[in-house]
């Protein structure tokens, strides 16, 4: 497997090409994916409504690129094509170590001012798309992108805030381990992840996770807890 994921500098302008690429990708993953949900990483499953990613829905992730990678790892392992828009510091090599298939990962690091148009074009052909919005989108544009997600049965994961998401995951606390007394190296990171349901109402779920553990895997450190809000 190559350590360099493909990059796209601009959305594909030819709609026929978009349709052809979409058809090819969906044929390649049709035997591995169900139509309405995508499996997530087992460590994250208890934090998500229904225990999986919902096709046609959006999710918000705050405070951690590694948590974003963990969100991609499950669908990627199941055969989904994934994309990352607007994150020039997204490390493909680290993503590969964490279980994301680089042969099915498309990076668009610099979408420019047309980031929303680029994201919509990528949604046309990929199953799971991560985007880091550089600015607030207009309500009408968000509504159109949401409609496209439902039409294409794609899943959007937003780095930061986004309206009408199925769940918002955030790193509340984190700490690195591995350093001794004046020696050693950082080998593992233990984090507390909080998950708020759609609309922010209802109990929040909290889990202690290794992101990553010493063997560069994602795993649960302590069981998921339900905490009342307010």
């Amino acid at each position: 497997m190559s350590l360099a994921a493909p990059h796209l500098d601009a959305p594909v302008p030819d709609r026929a090409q978009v349709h052809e690429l979409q058809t090819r990708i969906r044929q390649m993953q049709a035997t591995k994916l169900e139509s309405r949900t995508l499996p997530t990483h087992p460590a994250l499953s208890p934090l998500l409504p229904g225990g999986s990613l919902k096709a046609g829905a959006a999710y918000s992730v705050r405070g951690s690129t590694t948590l974003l990678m963990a969100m991609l790892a499950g669908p990627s392992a199941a055969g989904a094509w994934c994309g990352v828009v607007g994150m020039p510091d997204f490390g493909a090599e680290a993503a590969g170590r964490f279980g994301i298939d680089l042969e099915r990962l498309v990076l668009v690091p610099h979408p420019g001012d047309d980031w929303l148009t680029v994201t919509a074009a990528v949604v046309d052909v990929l199953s799971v798309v991560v985007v880091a919005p550089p600015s607030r989108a207009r309500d009408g544009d968000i509504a159109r992108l949401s409609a496209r997600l439902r039409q294409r049965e794609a899943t959007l994961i937003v780095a930061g805030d986004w309206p009408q998401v199925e769940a918002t995951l955030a790193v509340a606390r984190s700490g690195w381990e591995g350093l001794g007394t004046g020696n050693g190296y950082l080998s593992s990171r233990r984090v507390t992840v909080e998950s708020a349901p759609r609309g922010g109402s209802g109990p929040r779920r909290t889990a202690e996770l290794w992101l990553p553990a010493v063997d560069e895997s994602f795993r649960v450190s302590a069981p998921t807890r339900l905490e009342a809000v307010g």
Side-chain angles (χ1 to χ4, degrees), residues 82-101:
C82 303
V84 180
V85 178
M87 298 185 68
D89 295 330
F90 187 90
E93 185 173 352
R97 293 199 306 269
F98 294 153
I100 297 172
D101 189 341

Side-chain angles (χ1 to χ4, degrees), residues 13-161:
D14 189 328
R15 305 307 298 174
Q17 293 180 20
V18 169
H19 178 72
E20 180 184 358
L21 182 57
Q22 179 188 20
T23 301
R24 288 171 54 194
I25 288 176
R26 298 207 170 189
Q27 286 176 345
M28 293 171 67
Q29 61 189 16
T31 58
K32 297 183 179 181
L33 301 178
E34 297 182 2
S35 60
R36 293 305 304 163
T37 62
L38 289 169
T40 189
H41 193 280
L44 299 181
S45 181
L47 292 167
L48 297 175
S52 59
L53 293 172
K54 182 179 177 181
Y59 297 82
S60 173
V61 173
R62 300 175 183 166
S64 175
T65 300
T66 305
L67 182 54
L68 283 168
M69 291 183 180
M71 292 279 281
L72 288 179
S76 180
W81 281 72
C82 303
V84 180
V85 178
M87 298 185 68
D89 295 330
F90 187 90
E93 185 173 352
R97 293 199 306 269
F98 294 153
I100 297 172
D101 189 341
L102 301 186
E103 294 182 353
R104 293 193 298 269
L105 177 66
V106 177
L107 303 178
V108 190
H110 301 287
D113 294 337
D114 294 327
W115 65 271
L116 197 57
T117 301
V118 174
T119 302
V122 175
V123 163
D124 274 345
V125 295
L126 304 181
S127 295
V128 185
V129 179
V130 171
V131 62
S135 59
R136 178 178 173 82
R138 293 178 297 183
D139 292 343
D141 292 333
I142 292 173
R144 283 188 287 273
L145 180 57
S146 297
R148 181 166 292 191
L149 288 171
R150 293 189 295 270
Q151 180 184 15
R152 303 301 188 191
E153 295 191 342
T155 300
L156 184 70
I157 302 174
V158 181
D161 294 327

